[in-house]
Amino acid sequence: MTADSAPVATSPAAGELAAQEKLAAEMSSLEIAKADQPLPELPPHRSHDPQYNQKRSDPFQFGSRYLAEQDDVFEFNAWDHVETDDTYKEYAEQQYAMQRQAPVSDFDKTRFNSDPAKWWNLFYKNNTANFFKDRKWLQQEFPILEKVTQEDAGPVTILEIGAGAGNTAFPVLAKNKNPKLKLHACDFSKKAVEVMRGHESYNPEMMQADVWDVAGEELPPGLGEGSVDVAVMVFIFSALSPLQWKKAVENVYRLLKPGGEVCFRDYGRGDLAQVRFKKGRYLEENFYIRGDGTRVYFFEKDELTDIWNGSLSEPVEGETAGVKPSFAIEELGFDRRLLVNRAKKLKMYRCWIQGRFRKN
């Protein structure tokens, strides 16, 4: 996949038809098969065999169960690379119009934007027992995380930004063989940091969890400029206000070594979570308040390109010129999945966006 294109699903219909014609020609010259003779194998994407139910395969391939015209959409629970249909697009636009007409009140906008850490503290306080989710796909999607955890990788520093309960940190450490790896896990929620420090796998010799705001003025405790090899940002950028993006990117740029890499995954515009928002949740275009008071943004690909390639780094009028970050967009694409409720015959479109950015 190229950096400026999302993964493209190629329908297997033509290939399957050719294979069927070839099989028919071969069978015409053979005797009728015996009853106990095995049937031709199903193509992997049509098989219910668990070995083909892996969500991840090659990095940024985002799965390989493609939905073809002859497929029954309700045969499986999920399909990869499915574009939204016209009915869903029309419904989504109606939802966006409704959301814009009934935005968050000015009072609530100030209340939620003035102290976002407060709402994340409440979130982790209320979800301590069930929030942790093992992101087993991390090293498959981001091969650099596999590379730096090898025994002979040498001194490496990983920074997980917006670490939450350690959903990235602990799975990486569980597979780590590198005795010289140091992982810093930061979140601006004090409660989240308490959760990480209280985890049974928390080892201060390998991991350091601290409170830190990626859009703040200071760098994380124990880290200086040019000290980080890999920065992991999974579902964190969407929690920031658009006014915070520039500062956050500057801080990541300052922390990374030349050639350092950012592993990025977040919500894409049109995701079911966005379309579902009711009245009184709209802050501004693509930016919302959840029911628990936390904020979430849904990104366009061009928007993220501009954010990370330096287009937003120029100071505005009255602003002091500072760091001018510039990242090479090595990969950036949508991960689109169609989830189905087979019992209720419901289709649910999910959309995430994933990228790798390298410090110039």
Side-chain angles (χ1 to χ4, degrees), residues 3 142 159-162 212 214-215 228-242 244-257 260-267 297 299-314 323-333 353-360:
F142 300 111
L159 171 62
E160 182 184 6
I161 303 169
W212 179 59
V214 67
V228 173
D229 295 280
V230 182
V232 181
M233 304 182 73
V234 177
F235 299 113
I236 156 53
F237 216 62
S238 55
L240 301 177
S241 160
Q244 297 176 295
W245 294 343
K246 181 180 176 182
K247 187 62 178 179
V249 173
E250 287 179 359
N251 283 336
V252 174
Y253 185 86
R254 290 174 61 195
L255 284 162
L256 283 172
K257 298 176 181 178
E261 186 170 323
V262 177
C263 302
F264 183 98
R265 184 173 173 86
D266 225 309
Y267 298 103
Y297 192 95
F299 292 96
E300 298 276 13
K301 188 165 70 170
D302 291 345
E303 186 174 44
L304 281 175
T305 298
D306 289 342
I307 292 169
W308 287 93
N309 70 5
S311 297
L312 299 184
S313 63
E314 293 299 324
V323 178
K324 293 185 178 181
S326 176
F327 289 84
I329 311 298
E330 299 212 329
E331 288 182 291
L332 184 62
I353 190 164
Q354 186 167 303
R356 294 193 303 109
F357 317 134
R358 190 172 300 280
K359 179 177 177 177
N360 289 327

Side-chain angles (χ1 to χ4, degrees), residues 39 41 49 77 94 110 131 167 182 260:
L39 295 172
E41 292 185 4
D49 190 320
N77 292 326
Q94 292 173 354
T110 300
F131 182 74
N167 293 355
K182 185 61 183 277

Side-chain angles (χ1 to χ4, degrees), residues 336-353:
R336 301 184 189 274
R337 306 197 88 211
L338 172 60
L339 308 182
V340 300
N341 183 318
R342 298 161 74 183
K344 296 182 179 180
K345 302 298 182 182
L346 296 176
K347 295 189 290 185
M348 298 165 283
Y349 292 94
R350 299 307 309 268
C351 178
W352 301 282
I353 190 164

